[in-house]
Structures are given as structure tokens and as C-alpha cells.
Amino acid sequence: MAQFNRYIITAALPYANGPVHIGHLAGCYLPADIYVRYLRAKKADVKFVCGTDEHGVPITIKAMKEGVTPQDVVDKYHKLIGDSFAAMGISFDIFSRTSNPIHHQTSQEFFLKMYNDGLFEEKETEQYFDPEKNVFLADRYIIGTCPKCGNDKAYGDQCERCGSSLSPDELINPHSALSDAVPVKKKTKHWYMPLQHYEPWLKEWILEGHKEWKNNVYGQCKSWLDNGLQSRAMTRDSNWGIKVPLPDAEGKVLYVWFDAPIGYISATKELTDNWEDYWCKEDTKLVHFIGKDNIVFHCIIFPAMLKAHGGFVVPDNVPANEFLNIEGEKVSTSRNWAVWVNDYIQDFPDQQDVLRYVLCSTAPETKDNDFTWKDFQDRNNNELVSIFGNFVNRAMVLMHKLCGGKVPRLHESFMDESDREMLKEFGVAKEKIKNSLESYRFREALAEVIEFSRKGNQYLQKNEPWILASILEKLNNNEKHSKYPQYE
């Protein structure tokens, strides 16, 4: 097994066009934070980086709809998201943003290195264009009637009613989501990364070298690789984003999924002068915490970029979680069906740890899971308070009451079989929790903490250490004790 001397842990960059909800927390930010706290407790050299993703079409569309600039949009949500994470105790070493100058510079240098090495394909294609708004349209912003089910609100990439994958060419009566105009096709030039060139390396690296990855991650990667990779455009037509650093690229910006993951590198640069230790030395462990919708970008596209550029470590693991539903329904930002983190903090001040506990205990680690307020209440009352809280409280109170607030020395002569069994349980529980955390099974680790707390409560109730303390006090005073004459 590889030995690592330092860790770089990333959590997916949240998109700066809205607040974060508890599904985001459960998906990647809370698991990442738990893992980082574990590494810090071991005194490991670790950097925990994140930041807001502030480029792409959704930002410009939100700005158009609200009558503000894209910068106004990202400024608003960068602060809101950052404040939400801080209030929930997500302990980033840095929470940066992709609109920072250091990120623009890092991304452009990355692109130029690949360009100068001849790693891009230059292609001219026809893409849909809104003649009224004078912008090229991403597939998601073309709406029409689904040819398969008749839904007149289908998107250019998918019909959400029947679930069919679509292309804009398949839509009946397509129109722009921005202006309602009928889109036209217009020629445009872009730079493509030939992902198929990296397919043999990706197959060996993932399918042979990382069979320990979670089933959902490994399975999705295998499906993509089995179907064959294609060239993918790494630039877009837009006036918002990181400008393509070439003389013949007026009006072109880097594809958001090219620049966004580079944000992990630029954030580390911003954090520390020795950033190369964390990104370029082979004894560094890189772990990406993400949701399942980002698997292909973090497991195939970004690693291929890192491999093509050269000089960077690639991810050791990408523990992606599934989705968290709310009261049996999928989260929907358009219908406001979500539990927004900033609202929770306002409505439940000083109850952040309760939410952290519930989200970890029900985390969608292997399949989609459901959050309900009844379960939230039950887990708080029946587990967090009555089992874990009760055990910690009793242990702390007894230690202060009977031992002056200090952990007492072990009295071997007073130990019986139940004492020895409990000491053994300490070691067993510690090893189980350690193994679960290192395997990214955080629900399992937390369940073991609760199970050990339950055993601890039973032990205290059965052994009544307050009576043993009374015996010791009487023995010190040369008095007899009728209940435990064997200790006299």
C-alpha cells in the first residue's frame, strides 16, 4: 500500500447562482469535513480546499433574468454559500472563488501548456444561436416539445417528464429559453480535447488500478470507458468566463468544466507558497469529494487533463455520494423543494451539530436516501441525546464529581470481568471507526460510535462507579462497606 506524507482534499466547487441545500451538505461537504478532521486528529499534513464555481451559462442567464451583472450574482452567492459552510462547521483551509485573478492566470497557463504541446484539436462546427440575445445557446437553454412523450417543456439535452436523452435537433418547435426566439445555427470555432487518446491510460488507471473505488463511481467510469470516449470542446462562446489566451479567440472563454477543477489548484496556490508539494509530489494523496452527477468530470476529464499537462498527481480516490431526497421527493430548486442551509441556520440557531449528525447517519453513500423531519426529530431525541449525549454527559459528570476533573489511574485490583471486557471494547471500537473512516464509510463509523456509547451506558448502569467511589472513600477512612466486603 502506498505511503503518503501529505494530503490534498477537495470538495466540489458549488455553483454561485443559488444557496446550498442539505443535499449538497450530505453529498460531499460533510463527508469531506469528517475525513479532514480525522486526518488532522492524526496530525497529518493536510490541506482542505474549496471555493465557488463562478463561470458558465447559468450565471449569465440568472444575471439577465435579474437585470444585474454576472459579477453581482457571483458576489452575492459566494458570500451566502461561504457563510453557510462556516456556520455548519465545514473547516476549509481556504474557500476561494474562480473569479479571482490567480485562478484566471492558473487556468490560462494550464490551457496554454496543453495548446503549445499540440494537445488540442481545432474544429469549426455549427451551434445553436439566439438571434435576439446574440448569444450561443447551451443545449439546456433550448426548450421544445419532446418527440417521445409530447412534453412541451423538454430541454435540448433531456426530457424531465419521460427521462429521455435528447439533442436540440430532436425537439419539435424549439425556442430559446432566454428570449423565446427560434434558434438558428451559426458556425463557430473551438478547441477540443481528444479524450479518446487517453482512453488506454484511463482504463489501466481506473479499471485495473482502482477496483477499490465505490461501486457507483467505478461502475459509471466503466460505462463511459466501455462506450468509448470522444473529443470534447474545452472552449465556449461567451463574454463571461476566463478568456481563451490565444490571438484568434475573440469572444471565446474556457469551458467551465475545464476551468472549474483547476480551481482546486489555484485555491491551493492562494493558500500556500509550497502548493507544488500538494499537487506535484508523488507521496501526496489527492481525494475528491463530490456528488454522483460530477463523477465523469472528476474521474475522467480532469484526470485526463492532469495527465496531458504532466507534472501533477492524479486522484487516489473519488468517493462520490448519491442524492438526498426531501420527504420522499427529489430536491427541486425551481419548485423551492429543498431545505436551504442558510434558512436552517436562521430557523435552528445553535443546532448545527444536530443536522450534521442526522445527515451523516442517513448519508446517501450507496444509494439515494430520504430526509424527513420526523426522522430528524427521532434521531436527535433517541440517538444523539439519549445514547451519545447521555454517555458523554455521565462520563464527564462522574469524572468531575469523583475524580476532580481528571482521568483517574487504572485500579487493577478493583477490576472484574466486565471492566476488562469494556476496556477491550474500547480497542475494538476504535479500530472499527478508524477502518470505516479510512474507507469513506462515514455512516458506518458513526453507527459504531453510537453502538459503543450504548454499551458504555449499559456498563455505567451495571457497574455503578459512584458506589465504587464510595467504597474507596470508606476504605480510606478505614470503614466497612456492607455491599462490597470483598474489597475490605
PDB file of all heavy atoms in Angstrom, residues 277-293:
ATOM      1  N   ASP A 277       4.053  21.110  -3.422  1.00  0.00           N
ATOM      2  CA  ASP A 277       4.215  19.905  -2.606  1.00  0.00           C
ATOM      3  C   ASP A 277       2.927  19.087  -2.603  1.00  0.00           C
ATOM      4  O   ASP A 277       2.973  17.849  -2.567  1.00  0.00           O
ATOM      5  CB  ASP A 277       4.572  20.275  -1.160  1.00  0.00           C
ATOM      6  CG  ASP A 277       5.982  20.814  -1.033  1.00  0.00           C
ATOM      7  OD1 ASP A 277       6.733  20.749  -2.034  1.00  0.00           O
ATOM      8  OD2 ASP A 277       6.345  21.294   0.054  1.00  0.00           O
ATOM      9  N   TYR A 278       1.785  19.780  -2.628  1.00  0.00           N
ATOM     10  CA  TYR A 278       0.492  19.104  -2.516  1.00  0.00           C
ATOM     11  C   TYR A 278      -0.058  18.641  -3.857  1.00  0.00           C
ATOM     12  O   TYR A 278      -0.974  17.808  -3.901  1.00  0.00           O
ATOM     13  CB  TYR A 278      -0.522  20.024  -1.825  1.00  0.00           C
ATOM     14  CG  TYR A 278      -0.116  20.357  -0.411  1.00  0.00           C
ATOM     15  CD1 TYR A 278       0.637  21.500  -0.134  1.00  0.00           C
ATOM     16  CD2 TYR A 278      -0.435  19.503   0.640  1.00  0.00           C
ATOM     17  CE1 TYR A 278       1.041  21.785   1.162  1.00  0.00           C
ATOM     18  CE2 TYR A 278      -0.028  19.780   1.929  1.00  0.00           C
ATOM     19  CZ  TYR A 278       0.705  20.927   2.187  1.00  0.00           C
ATOM     20  OH  TYR A 278       1.119  21.203   3.463  1.00  0.00           O
ATOM     21  N   TRP A 279       0.459  19.167  -4.943  1.00  0.00           N
ATOM     22  CA  TRP A 279      -0.079  18.816  -6.256  1.00  0.00           C
ATOM     23  C   TRP A 279       0.900  18.087  -7.171  1.00  0.00           C
ATOM     24  O   TRP A 279       0.484  17.500  -8.171  1.00  0.00           O
ATOM     25  CB  TRP A 279      -0.589  20.078  -6.969  1.00  0.00           C
ATOM     26  CG  TRP A 279      -1.933  20.492  -6.476  1.00  0.00           C
ATOM     27  CD1 TRP A 279      -2.228  21.457  -5.556  1.00  0.00           C
ATOM     28  CD2 TRP A 279      -3.185  19.917  -6.859  1.00  0.00           C
ATOM     29  NE1 TRP A 279      -3.573  21.527  -5.331  1.00  0.00           N
ATOM     30  CE2 TRP A 279      -4.198  20.596  -6.127  1.00  0.00           C
ATOM     31  CE3 TRP A 279      -3.573  18.913  -7.737  1.00  0.00           C
ATOM     32  CZ2 TRP A 279      -5.551  20.281  -6.251  1.00  0.00           C
ATOM     33  CZ3 TRP A 279      -4.913  18.602  -7.865  1.00  0.00           C
ATOM     34  CH2 TRP A 279      -5.888  19.282  -7.124  1.00  0.00           C
ATOM     35  N   CYS A 280       2.170  18.135  -6.835  1.00  0.00           N
ATOM     36  CA  CYS A 280       3.165  17.622  -7.782  1.00  0.00           C
ATOM     37  C   CYS A 280       4.060  16.525  -7.210  1.00  0.00           C
ATOM     38  O   CYS A 280       4.844  15.939  -7.971  1.00  0.00           O
ATOM     39  CB  CYS A 280       4.029  18.773  -8.295  1.00  0.00           C
ATOM     40  SG  CYS A 280       3.072  20.115  -9.046  1.00  0.00           S
ATOM     41  N   LYS A 281       3.995  16.249  -5.922  1.00  0.00           N
ATOM     42  CA  LYS A 281       4.846  15.218  -5.338  1.00  0.00           C
ATOM     43  C   LYS A 281       4.083  13.903  -5.225  1.00  0.00           C
ATOM     44  O   LYS A 281       2.945  13.873  -4.765  1.00  0.00           O
ATOM     45  CB  LYS A 281       5.359  15.659  -3.962  1.00  0.00           C
ATOM     46  CG  LYS A 281       6.376  16.798  -4.038  1.00  0.00           C
ATOM     47  CD  LYS A 281       7.067  17.017  -2.710  1.00  0.00           C
ATOM     48  CE  LYS A 281       8.180  18.060  -2.835  1.00  0.00           C
ATOM     49  NZ  LYS A 281       8.869  18.288  -1.553  1.00  0.00           N
ATOM     50  N   GLU A 282       4.729  12.832  -5.640  1.00  0.00           N
ATOM     51  CA  GLU A 282       4.070  11.528  -5.742  1.00  0.00           C
ATOM     52  C   GLU A 282       3.609  10.982  -4.395  1.00  0.00           C
ATOM     53  O   GLU A 282       2.741  10.110  -4.339  1.00  0.00           O
ATOM     54  CB  GLU A 282       5.005  10.517  -6.413  1.00  0.00           C
ATOM     55  CG  GLU A 282       5.216  10.777  -7.892  1.00  0.00           C
ATOM     56  CD  GLU A 282       3.934  10.664  -8.705  1.00  0.00           C
ATOM     57  OE1 GLU A 282       3.097   9.812  -8.358  1.00  0.00           O
ATOM     58  OE2 GLU A 282       3.769  11.429  -9.665  1.00  0.00           O
ATOM     59  N   ASP A 283       4.189  11.455  -3.296  1.00  0.00           N
ATOM     60  CA  ASP A 283       3.769  10.948  -1.977  1.00  0.00           C
ATOM     61  C   ASP A 283       2.637  11.788  -1.385  1.00  0.00           C
ATOM     62  O   ASP A 283       2.436  11.814  -0.174  1.00  0.00           O
ATOM     63  CB  ASP A 283       4.956  10.886  -1.012  1.00  0.00           C
ATOM     64  CG  ASP A 283       5.658  12.230  -0.827  1.00  0.00           C
ATOM     65  OD1 ASP A 283       5.398  13.147  -1.632  1.00  0.00           O
ATOM     66  OD2 ASP A 283       6.456  12.364   0.124  1.00  0.00           O
ATOM     67  N   THR A 284       1.894  12.485  -2.253  1.00  0.00           N
ATOM     68  CA  THR A 284       0.694  13.220  -1.843  1.00  0.00           C
ATOM     69  C   THR A 284      -0.539  12.408  -2.228  1.00  0.00           C
ATOM     70  O   THR A 284      -0.602  11.838  -3.322  1.00  0.00           O
ATOM     71  CB  THR A 284       0.622  14.591  -2.545  1.00  0.00           C
ATOM     72  OG1 THR A 284       1.719  15.389  -2.121  1.00  0.00           O
ATOM     73  CG2 THR A 284      -0.677  15.308  -2.193  1.00  0.00           C
ATOM     74  N   LYS A 285      -1.506  12.368  -1.334  1.00  0.00           N
ATOM     75  CA  LYS A 285      -2.776  11.692  -1.610  1.00  0.00           C
ATOM     76  C   LYS A 285      -3.834  12.741  -1.925  1.00  0.00           C
ATOM     77  O   LYS A 285      -4.166  13.575  -1.089  1.00  0.00           O
ATOM     78  CB  LYS A 285      -3.220  10.851  -0.416  1.00  0.00           C
ATOM     79  CG  LYS A 285      -4.513  10.062  -0.658  1.00  0.00           C
ATOM     80  CD  LYS A 285      -4.816   9.134   0.506  1.00  0.00           C
ATOM     81  CE  LYS A 285      -6.053   8.297   0.259  1.00  0.00           C
ATOM     82  NZ  LYS A 285      -6.302   7.329   1.348  1.00  0.00           N
ATOM     83  N   LEU A 286      -4.360  12.698  -3.161  1.00  0.00           N
ATOM     84  CA  LEU A 286      -5.412  13.604  -3.607  1.00  0.00           C
ATOM     85  C   LEU A 286      -6.746  12.868  -3.561  1.00  0.00           C
ATOM     86  O   LEU A 286      -6.882  11.784  -4.143  1.00  0.00           O
ATOM     87  CB  LEU A 286      -5.113  14.088  -5.036  1.00  0.00           C
ATOM     88  CG  LEU A 286      -6.241  14.819  -5.781  1.00  0.00           C
ATOM     89  CD1 LEU A 286      -6.635  16.107  -5.056  1.00  0.00           C
ATOM     90  CD2 LEU A 286      -5.821  15.121  -7.222  1.00  0.00           C
ATOM     91  N   VAL A 287      -7.721  13.457  -2.853  1.00  0.00           N
ATOM     92  CA  VAL A 287      -9.056  12.858  -2.755  1.00  0.00           C
ATOM     93  C   VAL A 287     -10.092  13.918  -3.100  1.00  0.00           C
ATOM     94  O   VAL A 287     -10.089  15.007  -2.518  1.00  0.00           O
ATOM     95  CB  VAL A 287      -9.332  12.297  -1.337  1.00  0.00           C
ATOM     96  CG1 VAL A 287     -10.722  11.643  -1.283  1.00  0.00           C
ATOM     97  CG2 VAL A 287      -8.262  11.293  -0.936  1.00  0.00           C
ATOM     98  N   HIS A 288     -10.960  13.603  -4.077  1.00  0.00           N
ATOM     99  CA  HIS A 288     -12.060  14.487  -4.452  1.00  0.00           C
ATOM    100  C   HIS A 288     -13.361  13.988  -3.817  1.00  0.00           C
ATOM    101  O   HIS A 288     -13.773  12.847  -4.075  1.00  0.00           O
ATOM    102  CB  HIS A 288     -12.272  14.491  -5.970  1.00  0.00           C
ATOM    103  CG  HIS A 288     -11.158  15.066  -6.770  1.00  0.00           C
ATOM    104  ND1 HIS A 288     -10.598  16.296  -6.517  1.00  0.00           N
ATOM    105  CD2 HIS A 288     -10.508  14.575  -7.863  1.00  0.00           C
ATOM    106  CE1 HIS A 288      -9.654  16.543  -7.424  1.00  0.00           C
ATOM    107  NE2 HIS A 288      -9.574  15.511  -8.237  1.00  0.00           N
ATOM    108  N   PHE A 289     -14.028  14.822  -3.026  1.00  0.00           N
ATOM    109  CA  PHE A 289     -15.368  14.511  -2.521  1.00  0.00           C
ATOM    110  C   PHE A 289     -16.380  15.230  -3.407  1.00  0.00           C
ATOM    111  O   PHE A 289     -16.325  16.459  -3.553  1.00  0.00           O
ATOM    112  CB  PHE A 289     -15.515  14.937  -1.068  1.00  0.00           C
ATOM    113  CG  PHE A 289     -14.845  14.018  -0.089  1.00  0.00           C
ATOM    114  CD1 PHE A 289     -13.501  14.167   0.219  1.00  0.00           C
ATOM    115  CD2 PHE A 289     -15.553  12.986   0.509  1.00  0.00           C
ATOM    116  CE1 PHE A 289     -12.873  13.307   1.110  1.00  0.00           C
ATOM    117  CE2 PHE A 289     -14.940  12.115   1.399  1.00  0.00           C
ATOM    118  CZ  PHE A 289     -13.593  12.273   1.705  1.00  0.00           C
ATOM    119  N   ILE A 290     -17.308  14.467  -3.991  1.00  0.00           N
ATOM    120  CA  ILE A 290     -18.260  15.030  -4.945  1.00  0.00           C
ATOM    121  C   ILE A 290     -19.607  14.342  -4.819  1.00  0.00           C
ATOM    122  O   ILE A 290     -19.755  13.351  -4.083  1.00  0.00           O
ATOM    123  CB  ILE A 290     -17.756  14.861  -6.405  1.00  0.00           C
ATOM    124  CG1 ILE A 290     -17.561  13.374  -6.720  1.00  0.00           C
ATOM    125  CG2 ILE A 290     -16.475  15.639  -6.639  1.00  0.00           C
ATOM    126  CD1 ILE A 290     -17.292  13.075  -8.179  1.00  0.00           C
ATOM    127  N   GLY A 291     -20.605  14.838  -5.562  1.00  0.00           N
ATOM    128  CA  GLY A 291     -21.871  14.151  -5.747  1.00  0.00           C
ATOM    129  C   GLY A 291     -21.804  13.329  -7.027  1.00  0.00           C
ATOM    130  O   GLY A 291     -20.935  13.547  -7.877  1.00  0.00           O
ATOM    131  N   LYS A 292     -22.743  12.386  -7.184  1.00  0.00           N
ATOM    132  CA  LYS A 292     -22.647  11.444  -8.302  1.00  0.00           C
ATOM    133  C   LYS A 292     -22.777  12.120  -9.669  1.00  0.00           C
ATOM    134  O   LYS A 292     -22.332  11.559 -10.679  1.00  0.00           O
ATOM    135  CB  LYS A 292     -23.701  10.349  -8.164  1.00  0.00           C
ATOM    136  CG  LYS A 292     -25.145  10.802  -8.338  1.00  0.00           C
ATOM    137  CD  LYS A 292     -26.085   9.604  -8.258  1.00  0.00           C
ATOM    138  CE  LYS A 292     -27.547  10.008  -8.390  1.00  0.00           C
ATOM    139  NZ  LYS A 292     -28.454   8.835  -8.294  1.00  0.00           N
ATOM    140  N   ASP A 293     -23.366  13.320  -9.724  1.00  0.00           N
ATOM    141  CA  ASP A 293     -23.517  13.987 -11.013  1.00  0.00           C
ATOM    142  C   ASP A 293     -22.210  14.569 -11.528  1.00  0.00           C
ATOM    143  O   ASP A 293     -22.137  15.037 -12.672  1.00  0.00           O
ATOM    144  CB  ASP A 293     -24.583  15.089 -10.924  1.00  0.00           C
ATOM    145  CG  ASP A 293     -24.358  16.054  -9.771  1.00  0.00           C
ATOM    146  OD1 ASP A 293     -23.682  15.678  -8.801  1.00  0.00           O
ATOM    147  OD2 ASP A 293     -24.872  17.183  -9.835  1.00  0.00           O
TER     148      ASP A 293
END
